[in-house]
Amino acid sequence: MTGYGGRRDQAARDAVTVEIGYALFSAAFAAAVVFGALAGPALLFDLPPTVEKVLIRVGLGIAPVLFMARVISVLLRFRHEDAAPQPSQPGRTSPDS
């Protein structure tokens, strides 16, 4: 909704939808890369069983945390950019200029 209680126009709804999609996709990609970097060696190479378990569990523990952190940070950044005040009207000078 807008600042005055009105409804969002279609462009604003589309922007929110695109930003949510970007947040989810980039978070899934980042989590997959981190999981692959941590658990990949355990899945590809013949390591001692204890090392394999530790690497896989660390990957499984960090990936969801990174996913949530990325989604939250992208959506909060979008919300702050969306709430930024409008620039002054063209052709007028600001009091502080």
Coordinates of all heavy atoms in Angstrom, one line a residue:
M1 N 0.8 -1.2 0.0 CA 0.0 0.0 0.0 C 0.9 1.2 0.0 O 2.0 1.2 0.4 CB -0.9 0.0 1.2 CG -1.9 -1.2 1.2 SD -3.5 -1.0 1.9 CE -3.2 -0.2 3.4
T2 N 0.3 2.3 -0.5 CA 1.1 3.6 -0.5 C 1.0 4.2 0.8 O 0.3 3.8 1.7 CB 0.5 4.5 -1.6 OG1 -0.8 4.8 -1.2 CG2 0.5 3.9 -3.0
G3 N 1.8 5.3 1.0 CA 1.8 6.0 2.2 C 0.5 6.6 2.7 O 0.3 7.0 3.8
Y4 N -0.4 6.8 1.7 CA -1.7 7.5 2.1 C -2.8 6.5 2.2 O -4.0 6.9 2.1 CB -2.0 8.5 1.0 CG -1.0 9.6 1.0 CD1 0.0 9.7 0.0 CD2 -0.9 10.5 2.0 CE1 0.9 10.7 0.0 CE2 0.1 11.5 2.0 CZ 1.0 11.6 1.0 OH 1.9 12.6 1.0
G5 N -2.5 5.2 2.3 CA -3.6 4.2 2.5 C -4.2 3.7 1.2 O -5.1 2.9 1.2
G6 N -3.7 4.2 0.0 CA -4.2 3.7 -1.3 C -3.7 2.3 -1.6 O -2.9 1.7 -0.9
R7 N -4.2 1.9 -2.8 CA -3.7 0.6 -3.3 C -2.5 0.7 -4.1 O -2.3 1.8 -4.8 CB -4.8 -0.1 -4.0 CG -6.1 -0.3 -3.2 CD -7.1 -1.1 -3.9 NE -6.5 -2.4 -4.3 CZ -7.0 -3.5 -3.9 NH1 -8.1 -3.6 -3.2 NH2 -6.5 -4.7 -4.2
R8 N -1.7 -0.3 -4.2 CA -0.5 -0.3 -5.1 C -0.9 -0.4 -6.5 O -1.9 -1.1 -6.8 CB 0.4 -1.4 -4.7 CG 1.1 -1.3 -3.4 CD 2.1 -2.4 -3.2 NE 2.6 -2.3 -1.9 CZ 3.7 -2.8 -1.5 NH1 4.5 -3.5 -2.4 NH2 4.2 -2.7 -0.3
D9 N -0.2 0.3 -7.4 CA -0.5 0.1 -8.8 C 0.2 -1.2 -9.3 O 0.9 -1.8 -8.6 CB -0.1 1.3 -9.6 CG 1.4 1.6 -9.5 OD1 2.1 1.0 -8.7 OD2 1.9 2.5 -10.3
Q10 N -0.1 -1.5 -10.6 CA 0.4 -2.8 -11.1 C 1.9 -2.8 -11.2 O 2.5 -3.8 -10.9 CB -0.2 -3.0 -12.5 CG 0.2 -4.3 -13.1 CD -0.4 -5.5 -12.3 OE1 -1.5 -5.5 -11.9 NE2 0.4 -6.6 -12.2
A11 N 2.5 -1.6 -11.5 CA 4.0 -1.6 -11.6 C 4.6 -1.9 -10.2 O 5.6 -2.6 -10.1 CB 4.4 -0.2 -12.1
A12 N 4.0 -1.4 -9.1 CA 4.6 -1.6 -7.8 C 4.4 -3.1 -7.4 O 5.3 -3.7 -6.8 CB 3.9 -0.7 -6.8
R13 N 3.3 -3.7 -7.8 CA 3.1 -5.1 -7.5 C 4.1 -6.0 -8.3 O 4.6 -6.9 -7.8 CB 1.7 -5.5 -7.8 CG 0.7 -5.0 -6.8 CD -0.7 -5.6 -6.9 NE -1.3 -5.6 -8.2 CZ -2.1 -4.6 -8.7 NH1 -2.6 -3.7 -7.8 NH2 -2.6 -4.7 -9.9
D14 N 4.3 -5.6 -9.6 CA 5.3 -6.3 -10.4 C 6.7 -6.2 -9.8 O 7.4 -7.1 -9.8 CB 5.2 -5.8 -11.8 CG 4.0 -6.2 -12.5 OD1 3.2 -7.1 -12.1 OD2 3.7 -5.6 -13.6
A15 N 7.0 -5.0 -9.3 CA 8.3 -4.8 -8.8 C 8.5 -5.7 -7.5 O 9.6 -6.2 -7.3 CB 8.5 -3.3 -8.4
V16 N 7.5 -5.8 -6.7 CA 7.6 -6.6 -5.5 C 7.8 -8.1 -5.9 O 8.6 -8.8 -5.3 CB 6.4 -6.4 -4.6 CG1 6.3 -7.4 -3.5 CG2 6.4 -5.0 -4.0
T17 N 7.0 -8.5 -6.9 CA 7.1 -9.9 -7.4 C 8.5 -10.2 -7.9 O 9.1 -11.3 -7.6 CB 6.0 -10.2 -8.5 OG1 4.7 -9.9 -7.9 CG2 6.1 -11.6 -8.9
V18 N 9.0 -9.3 -8.7 CA 10.4 -9.5 -9.3 C 11.4 -9.6 -8.2 O 12.3 -10.4 -8.2 CB 10.7 -8.4 -10.3 CG1 12.1 -8.5 -10.7 CG2 9.8 -8.6 -11.6
E19 N 11.3 -8.7 -7.2 CA 12.3 -8.6 -6.1 C 12.2 -9.9 -5.3 O 13.2 -10.4 -4.8 CB 12.0 -7.4 -5.3 CG 13.2 -7.0 -4.4 CD 14.4 -6.6 -5.2 OE1 14.2 -6.1 -6.4 OE2 15.5 -6.7 -4.7
I20 N 11.0 -10.4 -5.0 CA 10.9 -11.7 -4.3 C 11.5 -12.8 -5.0 O 12.2 -13.7 -4.5 CB 9.4 -12.0 -3.9 CG1 8.9 -11.0 -2.9 CG2 9.2 -13.4 -3.4 CD1 7.4 -11.0 -2.7
G21 N 11.2 -12.9 -6.3 CA 11.9 -13.9 -7.2 C 13.4 -13.8 -7.2 O 14.1 -14.8 -7.1
Y22 N 13.9 -12.6 -7.3 CA 15.3 -12.4 -7.3 C 15.9 -12.8 -5.9 O 17.0 -13.5 -5.9 CB 15.7 -10.9 -7.5 CG 17.1 -10.6 -7.3 CD1 18.1 -11.1 -8.1 CD2 17.5 -9.9 -6.1 CE1 19.5 -10.8 -7.8 CE2 18.8 -9.6 -5.9 CZ 19.8 -10.0 -6.7 OH 21.1 -9.8 -6.5
A23 N 15.2 -12.5 -4.8 CA 15.7 -12.9 -3.5 C 15.8 -14.4 -3.4 O 16.8 -14.9 -2.9 CB 14.8 -12.2 -2.4
L24 N 14.7 -15.1 -3.8 CA 14.7 -16.5 -3.6 C 15.7 -17.2 -4.5 O 16.4 -18.1 -4.1 CB 13.3 -17.0 -3.9 CG 12.2 -16.7 -2.9 CD1 10.9 -17.1 -3.4 CD2 12.5 -17.3 -1.6
F25 N 15.8 -16.7 -5.8 CA 16.8 -17.4 -6.7 C 18.2 -17.1 -6.3 O 19.0 -18.1 -6.3 CB 16.6 -16.8 -8.1 CG 17.5 -17.4 -9.1 CD1 17.3 -18.7 -9.6 CD2 18.6 -16.7 -9.6 CE1 18.1 -19.3 -10.6 CE2 19.5 -17.3 -10.5 CZ 19.2 -18.6 -11.0
S26 N 18.6 -15.9 -5.9 CA 19.9 -15.6 -5.5 C 20.3 -16.3 -4.2 O 21.4 -16.7 -4.0 CB 20.2 -14.1 -5.4 OG 19.5 -13.5 -4.4
A27 N 19.3 -16.4 -3.3 CA 19.6 -17.1 -2.1 C 19.8 -18.6 -2.3 O 20.7 -19.2 -1.7 CB 18.4 -16.9 -1.1
A28 N 19.0 -19.2 -3.2 CA 19.2 -20.6 -3.5 C 20.5 -20.9 -4.1 O 21.2 -21.9 -3.8 CB 18.0 -21.1 -4.4
F29 N 20.9 -20.0 -5.0 CA 22.2 -20.2 -5.7 C 23.3 -20.0 -4.7 O 24.3 -20.9 -4.7 CB 22.3 -19.1 -6.8 CG 23.6 -19.2 -7.6 CD1 23.8 -20.2 -8.5 CD2 24.7 -18.3 -7.3 CE1 25.0 -20.3 -9.2 CE2 25.9 -18.4 -8.0 CZ 26.0 -19.4 -9.0
A30 N 23.3 -19.0 -3.8 CA 24.4 -18.9 -2.9 C 24.4 -20.0 -1.9 O 25.5 -20.5 -1.6 CB 24.1 -17.6 -2.1
A31 N 23.3 -20.5 -1.5 CA 23.3 -21.7 -0.5 C 23.8 -22.9 -1.2 O 24.6 -23.7 -0.6 CB 21.8 -21.9 0.0
A32 N 23.5 -23.1 -2.5 CA 24.0 -24.3 -3.2 C 25.5 -24.2 -3.4 O 26.2 -25.2 -3.3 CB 23.3 -24.4 -4.6
V33 N 26.0 -23.0 -3.7 CA 27.4 -22.9 -3.9 C 28.2 -23.2 -2.6 O 29.2 -23.9 -2.6 CB 27.8 -21.5 -4.4 CG1 29.3 -21.2 -4.3 CG2 27.3 -21.3 -5.9
V34 N 27.7 -22.6 -1.5 CA 28.3 -22.8 -0.2 C 28.2 -24.3 0.2 O 29.2 -24.9 0.7 CB 27.7 -21.9 0.9 CG1 28.2 -22.3 2.3 CG2 28.1 -20.5 0.6
F35 N 27.1 -24.9 0.0 CA 27.0 -26.3 0.3 C 27.9 -27.2 -0.5 O 28.6 -28.1 0.0 CB 25.5 -26.8 0.1 CG 25.4 -28.3 0.4 CD1 25.3 -28.8 1.7 CD2 25.3 -29.2 -0.7 CE1 25.2 -30.2 1.9 CE2 25.2 -30.6 -0.4 CZ 25.1 -31.0 0.9
G36 N 28.0 -26.8 -1.8 CA 28.9 -27.6 -2.7 C 30.3 -27.4 -2.3 O 31.1 -28.3 -2.4
A37 N 30.7 -26.2 -1.9 CA 32.1 -26.0 -1.5 C 32.4 -26.7 -0.2 O 33.6 -27.2 -0.1 CB 32.3 -24.5 -1.3
L38 N 31.5 -26.8 0.7 CA 31.8 -27.5 2.0 C 31.6 -29.0 1.9 O 32.5 -29.8 2.3 CB 30.9 -26.9 3.1 CG 31.2 -25.5 3.5 CD1 30.1 -25.0 4.4 CD2 32.5 -25.4 4.1
A39 N 30.5 -29.4 1.3 CA 30.2 -30.9 1.3 C 30.7 -31.6 0.0 O 30.8 -32.8 0.0 CB 28.7 -31.1 1.4
G40 N 31.1 -30.8 -1.0 CA 31.5 -31.4 -2.2 C 32.7 -32.3 -2.1 O 32.7 -33.4 -2.6
P41 N 33.7 -31.9 -1.4 CA 34.9 -32.8 -1.2 C 34.5 -34.1 -0.5 O 35.0 -35.2 -0.9 CB 35.9 -32.0 -0.4 CG 35.5 -30.6 -0.6 CD 34.0 -30.6 -0.8
A42 N 33.6 -34.0 0.4 CA 33.1 -35.3 1.1 C 32.4 -36.2 0.2 O 32.4 -37.4 0.3 CB 32.3 -34.9 2.3
L43 N 31.7 -35.6 -0.8 CA 30.9 -36.4 -1.7 C 31.7 -36.9 -2.9 O 31.4 -37.9 -3.5 CB 29.7 -35.6 -2.2 CG 28.7 -35.1 -1.1 CD1 27.7 -34.2 -1.7 CD2 28.0 -36.3 -0.5
L44 N 32.8 -36.2 -3.2 CA 33.6 -36.6 -4.4 C 34.8 -37.5 -4.1 O 35.1 -38.3 -4.9 CB 34.1 -35.3 -5.1 CG 33.0 -34.5 -5.8 CD1 33.6 -33.2 -6.3 CD2 32.3 -35.3 -6.9
F45 N 35.4 -37.2 -2.9 CA 36.6 -37.9 -2.6 C 36.4 -38.9 -1.5 O 35.4 -38.9 -0.7 CB 37.7 -36.9 -2.2 CG 38.0 -35.9 -3.2 CD1 37.7 -34.6 -2.9 CD2 38.5 -36.3 -4.4 CE1 38.0 -33.6 -3.9 CE2 38.8 -35.3 -5.4 CZ 38.5 -34.0 -5.1
D46 N 37.3 -39.9 -1.4 CA 37.2 -40.9 -0.3 C 38.0 -40.4 0.9 O 39.2 -40.5 1.0 CB 37.9 -42.2 -0.8 CG 37.6 -43.4 0.1 OD1 36.6 -43.3 0.8 OD2 38.4 -44.3 0.1
L47 N 37.2 -39.7 1.8 CA 37.7 -39.2 3.0 C 37.4 -40.1 4.2 O 36.5 -40.9 4.1 CB 37.2 -37.8 3.2 CG 37.5 -36.7 2.1 CD1 36.7 -35.4 2.4 CD2 38.9 -36.5 2.0
P48 N 38.1 -39.9 5.3 CA 37.7 -40.6 6.5 C 36.2 -40.3 6.9 O 35.7 -39.2 6.7 CB 38.6 -40.1 7.6 CG 39.8 -39.5 6.9 CD 39.2 -39.0 5.5
P49 N 35.5 -41.4 7.4 CA 34.1 -41.2 7.7 C 33.7 -40.0 8.6 O 32.7 -39.3 8.4 CB 33.7 -42.5 8.3 CG 34.7 -43.5 7.9 CD 36.0 -42.7 7.7
T50 N 34.6 -39.7 9.6 CA 34.3 -38.6 10.5 C 34.4 -37.3 9.7 O 33.5 -36.4 9.9 CB 35.3 -38.6 11.6 OG1 35.3 -39.9 12.3 CG2 35.0 -37.5 12.6
V51 N 35.4 -37.1 8.9 CA 35.5 -35.9 8.1 C 34.4 -35.7 7.2 O 33.8 -34.6 7.0 CB 36.9 -35.9 7.4 CG1 37.0 -34.7 6.5 CG2 38.0 -36.0 8.4
E52 N 33.9 -36.8 6.5 CA 32.8 -36.7 5.6 C 31.5 -36.3 6.3 O 30.8 -35.4 5.9 CB 32.5 -38.1 5.0 CG 33.5 -38.5 3.9 CD 33.1 -39.8 3.2 OE1 32.1 -40.4 3.5 OE2 34.0 -40.2 2.4
K53 N 31.3 -36.9 7.5 CA 30.1 -36.5 8.3 C 30.1 -35.0 8.7 O 29.2 -34.3 8.6 CB 30.0 -37.4 9.5 CG 29.5 -38.8 9.2 CD 29.3 -39.5 10.5 CE 29.0 -41.0 10.3 NZ 28.9 -41.7 11.5
V54 N 31.3 -34.6 9.2 CA 31.5 -33.2 9.6 C 31.2 -32.2 8.5 O 30.5 -31.2 8.6 CB 32.8 -33.0 10.3 CG1 33.1 -31.5 10.5 CG2 32.9 -33.7 11.6
L55 N 31.8 -32.5 7.3 CA 31.7 -31.6 6.2 C 30.3 -31.5 5.7 O 29.7 -30.4 5.4 CB 32.6 -32.0 5.0 CG 34.1 -31.8 5.2 CD1 34.9 -32.4 4.1 CD2 34.4 -30.3 5.4
I56 N 29.6 -32.6 5.6 CA 28.2 -32.7 5.2 C 27.3 -32.0 6.2 O 26.4 -31.1 5.8 CB 27.7 -34.1 4.9 CG1 28.5 -34.6 3.7 CG2 26.2 -34.2 4.7 CD1 28.2 -36.1 3.4
R57 N 27.5 -32.2 7.5 CA 26.6 -31.6 8.5 C 26.9 -30.1 8.6 O 26.0 -29.3 8.7 CB 26.9 -32.2 9.8 CG 26.3 -33.6 9.9 CD 26.4 -34.2 11.2 NE 25.8 -35.6 11.2 CZ 25.9 -36.5 12.1 NH1 26.6 -36.2 13.2 NH2 25.4 -37.7 12.0
V58 N 28.1 -29.6 8.4 CA 28.4 -28.2 8.4 C 27.8 -27.6 7.2 O 27.2 -26.5 7.3 CB 29.9 -28.0 8.4 CG1 30.3 -26.5 8.1 CG2 30.5 -28.3 9.8
G59 N 27.8 -28.2 6.0 CA 27.2 -27.7 4.8 C 25.7 -27.6 5.0 O 25.1 -26.6 4.6
L60 N 25.1 -28.7 5.6 CA 23.7 -28.7 5.8 C 23.2 -27.7 6.9 O 22.1 -27.2 6.9 CB 23.2 -30.1 6.2 CG 23.2 -31.1 5.1 CD1 22.8 -32.5 5.7 CD2 22.1 -30.7 4.1
G61 N 24.1 -27.3 7.8 CA 23.8 -26.3 8.8 C 24.0 -24.9 8.3 O 23.2 -24.0 8.6
I62 N 25.0 -24.6 7.5 CA 25.2 -23.3 7.0 C 24.4 -22.9 5.8 O 23.9 -21.7 5.7 CB 26.7 -23.1 6.6 CG1 27.5 -23.2 7.9 CG2 27.0 -21.8 5.9 CD1 29.0 -23.1 7.7
A63 N 24.0 -23.8 4.9 CA 23.3 -23.5 3.7 C 21.9 -22.8 4.0 O 21.6 -21.8 3.5 CB 23.1 -24.7 2.8
P64 N 21.1 -23.4 4.9 CA 19.8 -22.8 5.2 C 19.9 -21.4 5.9 O 19.1 -20.5 5.7 CB 19.1 -23.8 6.1 CG 19.9 -25.0 6.2 CD 21.2 -24.7 5.6
V65 N 20.9 -21.3 6.7 CA 21.2 -20.0 7.4 C 21.5 -18.9 6.4 O 21.0 -17.8 6.4 CB 22.3 -20.1 8.5 CG1 22.6 -18.8 9.0 CG2 21.8 -21.1 9.6
L66 N 22.4 -19.3 5.4 CA 22.8 -18.4 4.4 C 21.6 -18.0 3.5 O 21.4 -16.9 3.1 CB 23.9 -18.9 3.5 CG 24.3 -18.1 2.3 CD1 25.0 -16.8 2.8 CD2 25.3 -18.9 1.5
F67 N 20.8 -19.0 3.2 CA 19.6 -18.8 2.4 C 18.7 -17.8 3.0 O 18.2 -16.8 2.4 CB 18.8 -20.1 2.2 CG 17.6 -20.0 1.4 CD1 17.6 -20.1 0.0 CD2 16.3 -19.8 2.0 CE1 16.5 -19.9 -0.8 CE2 15.2 -19.7 1.2 CZ 15.3 -19.7 -0.1
M68 N 18.4 -18.0 4.3 CA 17.5 -17.0 5.0 C 18.1 -15.6 5.1 O 17.4 -14.6 4.9 CB 17.1 -17.6 6.4 CG 16.2 -18.8 6.3 SD 14.7 -18.5 5.4 CE 13.9 -17.2 6.3
A69 N 19.4 -15.6 5.4 CA 20.1 -14.3 5.5 C 20.0 -13.5 4.2 O 19.8 -12.3 4.2 CB 21.5 -14.5 6.0
R70 N 20.2 -14.2 3.1 CA 20.2 -13.6 1.8 C 18.8 -13.1 1.4 O 18.7 -11.9 1.0 CB 20.7 -14.5 0.7 CG 20.7 -14.0 -0.7 CD 21.7 -12.9 -0.9 NE 21.6 -12.4 -2.3 CZ 22.0 -11.3 -2.7 NH1 22.6 -10.5 -1.9 NH2 21.9 -10.9 -3.9
V71 N 17.8 -13.9 1.7 CA 16.4 -13.5 1.4 C 16.1 -12.2 2.2 O 15.5 -11.2 1.7 CB 15.4 -14.6 1.6 CG1 14.0 -14.1 1.6 CG2 15.6 -15.7 0.6
I72 N 16.3 -12.3 3.5 CA 16.0 -11.2 4.4 C 16.8 -9.9 3.9 O 16.2 -8.8 3.9 CB 16.3 -11.5 5.8 CG1 15.3 -12.6 6.3 CG2 16.2 -10.3 6.7 CD1 15.6 -13.2 7.6
S73 N 18.0 -10.0 3.6 CA 18.8 -8.8 3.3 C 18.3 -8.2 2.0 O 18.3 -7.0 1.9 CB 20.3 -9.1 3.2 OG 20.6 -10.0 2.1
V74 N 18.0 -9.0 1.0 CA 17.5 -8.5 -0.3 C 16.2 -7.8 -0.1 O 16.0 -6.7 -0.6 CB 17.5 -9.6 -1.3 CG1 16.7 -9.1 -2.6 CG2 18.8 -10.1 -1.7
L75 N 15.3 -8.4 0.6 CA 14.0 -7.8 0.8 C 14.0 -6.6 1.7 O 13.2 -5.6 1.4 CB 13.0 -8.9 1.3 CG 12.7 -10.0 0.4 CD1 11.7 -11.0 1.0 CD2 12.2 -9.6 -1.0
L76 N 14.8 -6.6 2.7 CA 14.9 -5.4 3.5 C 15.6 -4.2 2.7 O 15.1 -3.1 2.8 CB 15.7 -5.6 4.8 CG 15.0 -6.4 5.9 CD1 16.0 -6.7 7.0 CD2 13.8 -5.7 6.3
R77 N 16.6 -4.5 1.9 CA 17.2 -3.5 1.1 C 16.1 -2.9 0.1 O 16.1 -1.7 -0.1 CB 18.4 -4.0 0.3 CG 19.1 -3.0 -0.5 CD 20.3 -3.5 -1.2 NE 19.8 -4.4 -2.2 CZ 20.3 -5.6 -2.6 NH1 21.4 -6.0 -2.0 NH2 19.8 -6.3 -3.5
F78 N 15.3 -3.8 -0.5 CA 14.3 -3.3 -1.4 C 13.3 -2.4 -0.7 O 12.8 -1.4 -1.2 CB 13.6 -4.5 -2.1 CG 12.4 -4.1 -3.0 CD1 12.7 -3.5 -4.2 CD2 11.1 -4.3 -2.6 CE1 11.6 -3.2 -5.0 CE2 10.1 -4.0 -3.4 CZ 10.3 -3.4 -4.6
R79 N 12.9 -2.8 0.5 CA 11.9 -2.0 1.3 C 12.5 -0.7 1.6 O 11.7 0.3 1.5 CB 11.5 -2.8 2.6 CG 10.4 -2.1 3.3 CD 10.0 -2.9 4.5 NE 10.9 -2.4 5.6 CZ 10.8 -2.9 6.8 NH1 10.0 -3.9 7.1 NH2 11.6 -2.5 7.7
H80 N 13.7 -0.6 1.9 CA 14.3 0.7 2.2 C 14.5 1.6 1.0 O 14.3 2.8 1.0 CB 15.7 0.6 2.9 CG 15.6 0.0 4.3 ND1 14.9 0.7 5.3 CD2 16.1 -1.1 4.8 CE1 15.0 0.0 6.4 NE2 15.7 -1.1 6.2
E81 N 14.8 1.0 -0.2 CA 14.9 1.7 -1.4 C 13.5 2.2 -1.9 O 13.3 3.3 -2.4 CB 15.5 0.9 -2.5 CG 17.0 0.7 -2.3 CD 17.6 -0.3 -3.3 OE1 16.9 -0.7 -4.2 OE2 18.8 -0.6 -3.2
D82 N 12.5 1.4 -1.6 CA 11.1 1.7 -2.0 C 10.6 2.8 -1.2 O 9.8 3.6 -1.7 CB 10.2 0.4 -1.8 CG 8.9 0.6 -2.5 OD1 8.8 1.3 -3.5 OD2 7.9 0.1 -1.9
A83 N 11.0 3.0 0.1 CA 10.5 4.0 0.9 C 11.3 5.3 0.9 O 11.0 6.2 1.6 CB 10.5 3.5 2.4
A84 N 12.3 5.4 0.0 CA 13.1 6.6 -0.1 C 12.2 7.7 -0.6 O 11.3 7.6 -1.4 CB 14.2 6.3 -1.1
P85 N 12.5 8.9 -0.1 CA 11.7 10.1 -0.5 C 11.9 10.4 -1.9 O 13.0 10.2 -2.5 CB 12.2 11.2 0.5 CG 13.5 10.8 0.9 CD 13.5 9.3 0.9
Q86 N 10.9 11.0 -2.5 CA 11.0 11.4 -3.9 C 12.0 12.6 -4.0 O 12.1 13.4 -3.1 CB 9.6 11.9 -4.4 CG 8.6 10.8 -4.5 CD 9.0 9.9 -5.7 OE1 9.5 10.3 -6.7 NE2 8.7 8.6 -5.5
P87 N 12.7 12.6 -5.1 CA 13.7 13.8 -5.3 C 12.9 15.0 -5.5 O 11.7 15.0 -5.8 CB 14.5 13.4 -6.5 CG 13.6 12.4 -7.2 CD 12.8 11.7 -6.2
S88 N 13.5 16.2 -5.2 CA 12.8 17.5 -5.4 C 12.5 17.7 -6.8 O 13.0 17.1 -7.7 CB 13.7 18.6 -4.9 OG 14.9 18.6 -5.6
Q89 N 11.5 18.6 -7.0 CA 11.1 18.8 -8.4 C 12.1 19.4 -9.2 O 12.9 20.3 -8.8 CB 9.8 19.8 -8.3 CG 8.7 19.1 -7.6 CD 7.5 20.1 -7.6 OE1 7.6 21.3 -7.9 NE2 6.4 19.6 -7.1
P90 N 12.2 19.1 -10.5 CA 13.3 19.6 -11.4 C 13.1 21.1 -11.5 O 12.0 21.6 -11.6 CB 13.1 18.9 -12.7 CG 12.1 17.8 -12.4 CD 11.4 18.1 -11.2
G91 N 14.2 21.8 -11.6 CA 14.1 23.2 -11.8 C 14.0 24.1 -10.5 O 14.1 25.3 -10.6
R92 N 13.8 23.4 -9.4 CA 13.7 24.1 -8.2 C 15.0 23.8 -7.4 O 15.5 22.8 -7.4 CB 12.5 23.7 -7.4 CG 11.2 24.1 -8.0 CD 10.1 23.9 -7.1 NE 8.8 24.3 -7.7 CZ 7.7 24.3 -7.2 NH1 7.6 23.9 -5.9 NH2 6.6 24.7 -7.8
T93 N 15.4 24.8 -6.6 CA 16.6 24.6 -5.8 C 16.2 24.2 -4.4 O 15.1 24.6 -3.9 CB 17.4 25.9 -5.7 OG1 16.6 26.9 -5.2 CG2 17.9 26.3 -7.1
S94 N 17.0 23.4 -3.8 CA 16.8 22.9 -2.4 C 17.3 24.0 -1.5 O 18.2 24.8 -1.8 CB 17.5 21.6 -2.1 OG 17.1 20.6 -3.1
P95 N 16.7 24.1 -0.3 CA 17.2 25.1 0.7 C 18.6 24.9 1.0 O 19.3 25.9 1.4 CB 16.3 24.9 1.9 CG 15.2 24.1 1.4 CD 15.6 23.4 0.2
D96 N 19.2 23.7 0.9 CA 20.5 23.5 1.4 C 21.5 23.6 0.2 O 22.7 23.3 0.4 CB 20.7 22.1 2.0 CG 20.2 21.0 1.1 OD1 19.6 21.3 0.1 OD2 20.4 19.8 1.5
S97 N 21.1 24.0 -1.0 CA 22.0 24.1 -2.1 C 22.6 25.5 -2.2 O 22.2 26.4 -1.7 CB 21.3 23.8 -3.4 OG 20.3 24.7 -3.7

